[in-house]
Amino acid sequence: MAVKHNKIVILSGAGVSADSGIKTFRAEDGLWENHQVEDVASPEGFERDPELVLRFYNERRQQISKAQPNAAHKAIAELEKQYEVVVITQNIDDLHERGGSSQVLHVHGEITKARSLYNNLEVFDIGYQDINLGDTCELGGQLRPHIVWFGEAVEHIDSALEHISEAGKVLVVGTSLNVFPVASLVRYAHPEAEKVINALDLQHPPVDYEYLQGKAADVVPSLVLRWLGGR
Ligand code: NAD
């Protein structure tokens, strides 16, 4: 596949929203906002205690509604002035969209959407409203967050692969590379692409990527200036 020099793919994870006050998923202790991830991010956890899981995501939704896009989200949107930009994110928040990005693929779902237990493909926009036990689709199926839990199929994987494999520039930002699919998507970048990765504390950044260590809100705006200036 020929490389498209005017196309940029951003692969983002929880770290890009950390500077907006949203905590990352802490792989080292397996906790997400003080909960065991398997309790709040698996179909089994939802079966065991649906009320706890709904409350967990209701809290995340409220927190996200009050957060603001940071300098990294905004700088990524600026790239659209000169490039075709596709953001592929593991984040369930809407901060890329609110920061101005127009093409965002959420591979792990979206906090502002719900789906019915009767039909995974029936997805509803709910904005920042809570989901409670007893909230159902027209057929009576309980609603759950439109979030990809462990063991569930990720969203948009075919188009994500296509976008990354033809992009002339790839920026990976704020992911520990422990969580799929971003952890594997990084390896599908075009050999000729300029590849950059930003995180706080990666032990083994991929060798074919330029590693920019630091906070996304500091690092990404200067990289964007470089890409807008020196095309
Ligand atoms: P992760 O939490 O596993 O890793 C976060 C990475 O971000 C780390 O490498 C860390 O070095 C880096 N980081 C932390 N603060 C940073 C900052 N200020 N600037 C730059 N980098 C920073 O992230 P992941 O790989 O995306 O996996 C998290 C999983 O949990 C995903 O499935 C995601 O859906 C979910 N999650 C989402 C959100 C959100 O939507 N904002 C928040 C927490 C967890």
Side-chain angles (χ1 to χ4, degrees):
M1 189 181 285
V3 71
K4 288 190 175 169
H5 292 291
N6 69 333
K7 178 164 183 167
I8 297 183
V9 161
I10 312 290
L11 288 180
S12 75
V16 77
S17 297
D19 296 324
S20 297
I22 299 174
K23 284 193 187 146
T24 60
F25 162 69
R26 294 177 52 204
E28 64 274 15
D29 59 11
L31 294 183
W32 185 2
E33 297 273 1
N34 301 323
H35 291 268
Q36 294 291 336
V37 277
E38 54 274 21
D39 287 343
V40 293
S42 72
E44 297 76 18
F46 187 65
E47 262 172 44
R48 257 194 320 269
D49 195 344
E51 212 160 354
L52 172 113
V53 176
L54 291 177
R55 194 179 334 120
F56 175 80
Y57 289 101
N58 289 343
E59 287 168 7
R60 303 283 69 71
R61 199 177 295 106
Q62 285 310 313
Q63 182 189 36
I64 287 165
S65 74
K66 294 185 188 96
Q68 298 302 325
N70 64 55
H73 298 107
K74 291 179 192 166
I76 287 166
E78 289 286 301
L79 288 168
E80 293 187 18
K81 287 181 180 162
Q82 284 186 33
Y83 296 90
E84 180 194 351
V85 183
V86 180
V87 178
I88 300 168
T89 186
Q90 291 195 146
N91 292 346
I92 58 175
D93 68 50
D94 57 357
L95 294 177
H96 278 300
E97 287 91 340
R98 282 159 54 202
S101 286
S102 57
Q103 269 204 87
V104 186
L105 297 180
H106 288 268
V107 289
H108 282 171
E110 293 168 74
I111 193 76
T112 54
K113 293 184 176 168
R115 57 172 123 130
S116 161
L117 284 185
Y118 273 2
N119 179 0
N120 266 330
L121 299 178
E122 204 176 355
V123 175
F124 306 91
D125 275 316
I126 56 166
Y128 302 116
Q129 284 177 58
D130 285 356
I131 307 176
N132 295 306
L133 271 187
D135 292 344
T136 60
C137 72
E138 282 176 358
L139 297 174
Q142 172 66 43
L143 296 186
R144 55 160 275 185
H146 178 51
I147 306 289
V148 174
W149 290 331
F150 289 104
E152 296 186 322
V154 297
E155 303 267 318
H156 310 295
I157 192 65
D158 290 344
S159 39
L161 274 169
E162 206 174 314
H163 287 304
I164 190 160
S165 56
E166 65 181 18
K169 298 186 194 302
V170 174
L171 165 63
V172 182
V173 50
T175 166
S176 57
L177 297 180
N178 288 324
V179 180
F180 286 82
V182 160
S184 70
L185 282 172
V186 294
R187 285 186 255 117
Y188 287 82
H190 197 284
E192 287 169 30
E194 182 179 351
K195 301 183 260 299
V196 179
I197 186 161
N198 161 234
L200 279 187
D201 52 7
L202 276 185
Q203 296 297 320
H204 303 289
V207 287
D208 49 341
Y209 279 71
E210 176 189 355
Y211 181 32
L212 301 178
Q213 193 168 9
K215 288 185 167 189
D218 299 331
V219 169
V220 176
S222 43
L223 175 71
V224 165
L225 279 180
R226 182 175 116 192
W227 280 356
L228 287 177
R231 200 170 157 198

